[in-house]
Amino acid sequence: MKMIFRGDDLGISEGVNYGLLKSIQDGALSCVGIMPNMESARHGYQLIKDIDICLGQHTNICLGKPISNPALIPSLVNDNGEFYSSHDINHRQEDIIDILECELEIEAQLKRFIEITGKKPEYFEGHAVFSKNYLQALENVAKRHHLFYDNPMDPNWQKQHHIYSLDFFSFDEKGLYDPYTYFESQLANIQKNECSIVVFHPGFLDQYILERSSYTLIRPMECEFLCSQWLKDWLEKYHIQVVNFRDYQKGL
């Protein structure tokens, strides 16, 4: 049995960057995705650049400012030239994201990723937006540049790559869940899959996150869980091998 532990949001803030660093060094994270348009993206990469970690592009069109000219992507930005929030996008009755405009921004973020890291991303996916047009634009750019497109919510993607997402967990009134109980509840799914993937958002809190993100208390909680002795013992007990996209694809 194999499992990919993906950590999202590198670059969203310095606090999150430090929490992701800890979750890589002391915890189970095997992949981490950087948000190229965010001001703390370079800071995040500098923290992890000398660590052997599978690094992907966590493409972002719902937080902060775009890299491309806002005038060229009107379907993605508000009157202030900033991205619409994920809440606004995901609750629209009609998907008004223009695929070509979206590809323009995704390409700009890919170029910034390469400028920051000096290499192409080892996997390619998106942040917090479930628009079909956005996902299509991501897939189009990934194919154009021969990048590994990661979309574990898509059953067809799961079957194609033999990587299966675990069930969604339910949040309580504080926006939290019990990761220990959750993992125990998912053991049967993990054992029947060739490879499973689970996505985390570990990090430490800072003012930017408190003001701009719906994920707050969950971040340090997931950081603690990923670094826990309980998780290390649990993975060993059930003979679950932690892999990343790079290692897993080589093994197929």
Side-chain angles (χ1 to χ4, degrees):
M1 291 175 291
K2 296 179 174 64
M3 178 171 287
I4 294 169
F5 285 77
R6 196 185 92 191
D8 292 352
D9 295 356
L10 185 69
I12 195 173
S13 76
E14 291 191 3
V16 168
N17 290 346
Y18 284 115
L20 280 162
L21 174 64
K22 180 174 178 58
S23 299
I24 295 168
Q25 291 181 320
D26 301 334
L29 277 193
S30 57
C31 302
V32 66
I34 188 170
M35 303 168 78
N37 74 306
M38 300 301 290
E39 292 183 4
S40 296
R42 294 181 186 276
H43 171 266
Y45 179 68
Q46 288 301 311
L47 290 179
I48 58 95
K49 66 182 179 67
D50 295 323
I51 301 173
D52 183 19
I53 185 74
C54 183
L55 183 65
Q57 177 167 315
H58 190 53
T59 311
N60 166 40
I61 63 159
C62 61
L63 184 63
K65 297 179 179 180
I67 294 174
S68 51
N69 184 345
L72 300 178
I73 52 170
S75 71
L76 304 183
V77 297
N78 59 27
D79 292 340
N80 296 322
E82 297 183 346
F83 287 130
Y84 292 108
S85 72
S86 59
H87 182 272
D88 288 341
I89 298 171
N90 292 332
H91 285 82
R92 289 172 180 164
Q93 293 185 343
E94 180 182 356
D95 190 350
I96 62 171
I97 288 177
D98 183 279
I99 292 178
L100 293 181
E101 291 177 15
C102 200
E103 288 185 21
L104 182 65
E105 174 59 22
I106 294 169
E107 291 273 6
Q109 292 193 23
L110 175 59
K111 182 179 179 181
R112 178 69 56 82
F113 180 103
I114 296 171
E115 289 173 356
I116 293 172
T117 69
K119 55 189 177 183
K120 287 185 176 182
E122 295 184 88
Y123 64 96
F124 199 72
E125 44 84 24
H127 171 72
V129 170
F130 307 115
S131 150
K132 289 184 178 180
N133 289 351
Y134 171 54
L135 296 176
Q136 185 62 61
L138 277 172
E139 188 171 5
N140 292 347
V141 175
K143 287 180 178 178
R144 190 177 302 143
H145 294 275
H146 308 289
L147 302 171
F148 180 73
Y149 177 57
D150 169 27
N151 185 12
M153 293 186 299
D154 181 356
N156 292 326
W157 181 93
Q158 294 181 37
K159 291 178 182 179
Q160 178 184 354
H161 297 286
H162 309 285
I163 301 173
Y164 295 88
S165 180
L166 301 184
D167 296 336
F168 288 109
F169 47 76
S170 299
F171 292 116
D172 62 20
E173 66 278 1
K174 294 182 180 179
L176 297 174
Y177 69 100
D178 182 348
Y180 304 92
T181 302
Y182 172 73
F183 262 63
E184 290 285 13
S185 73
Q186 294 300 301
L187 180 60
N189 284 336
I190 295 168
Q191 290 177 324
K192 74 179 182 181
N193 294 335
E194 182 176 344
C195 183
S196 301
I197 182 171
V198 59
V199 179
F200 291 92
H201 300 81
F204 301 147
L205 298 182
D206 53 25
Q207 196 62 27
Y208 184 89
I209 292 299
L210 292 174
E211 292 179 355
R212 304 294 290 275
S213 176
S214 61
Y215 273 26
T216 53
L217 297 179
I218 191 175
R219 295 182 187 271
M221 181 272 286
E222 289 192 334
C223 182
E224 179 177 332
F225 172 71
L226 286 165
C227 298
S228 68
Q229 188 61 45
W230 184 94
L231 180 57
K232 295 179 177 67
D233 293 341
W234 191 85
L235 292 169
E236 182 177 357
K237 177 181 178 180
Y238 293 109
H239 308 289
I240 299 170
Q241 180 185 0
V242 177
V243 296
N244 58 40
F245 290 116
R246 178 204 318 152
D247 298 334
Y248 182 70
Q249 292 299 312
K250 286 180 180 178
L252 288 178

